[in-house]
Amino acid sequence: QVQLVESGGGLVQAGGSLRLSCAASGRTFSSYAMGWFRQAPGKEREFVATISRSGGDTRYADSVKGRFTISRDNAKNTVYLQMNSLKPEDTAFYYCAGSSTYYSIVSKSYAYWGQGTQVTVSS
């Protein structure tokens, strides 16, 4: 089992950058594929990015491709989401999630979730 805690959210102007971090407890972090999802008010939770256990493979939602980068440091039990060129439509609560199976764009593949961190992008 793994516990996840996100940090790094905040208020930023359009065009700015933020880096989210997700710290995981436990000694088996490298056994989990990790993902980032987001949920805006009145909308369903949506996939943002995912990374394989080794960090060698990543996938992104089309809406963030080229602007966001997911990475992980298994020695630090942490996964990151670097967000550049932020847009007002990126405003949402961002969650990191862990999967013991496969890096996936489907939220149901993830058994472990953090509490989330708010990202607000002003125009």
Side-chain angles (χ1 to χ4, degrees):
Q1 198 168 14
V2 62
Q3 294 182 325
L4 305 171
V5 179
E6 302 94 335
S7 62
L11 173 64
V12 64
Q13 287 188 331
S17 298
L18 281 175
R19 187 175 83 154
L20 305 183
S21 299
C22 175
S25 65
R27 294 175 289 179
T28 60
F29 176 70
S30 60
S31 299
Y32 296 90
M34 300 299 295
W36 285 96
F37 291 78
R38 66 187 182 186
Q39 187 167 17
K43 295 187 177 181
E44 293 187 355
R45 188 173 297 185
E46 65 174 1
F47 165 74
V48 176
T50 183
I51 189 166
S52 61
R53 295 176 180 84
S54 67
D57 295 288
T58 58
R59 294 183 69 180
Y60 297 91
D62 288 343
S63 59
V64 307
K65 201 172 295 183
R67 299 187 298 122
F68 290 12
T69 302
I70 188 171
S71 62
R72 67 189 296 162
D73 185 337
N74 286 343
K76 295 183 178 180
N77 284 10
T78 303
V79 62
Y80 305 97
L81 185 68
Q82 177 66 44
M83 306 185 295
N84 298 329
S85 302
L86 282 161
K87 304 175 181 180
E89 51 263 44
D90 293 319
T91 295
F93 221 72
Y94 282 71
Y95 300 88
C96 76
S99 171
S100 59
T101 56
Y102 186 72
Y103 75 110
S104 170
I105 68 172
V106 179
S107 62
K108 291 182 179 179
S109 300
Y110 295 82
Y112 307 103
W113 292 83
Q115 294 300 307
T117 185
Q118 177 70 42
V119 171
T120 303
V121 184
S122 63
S123 57

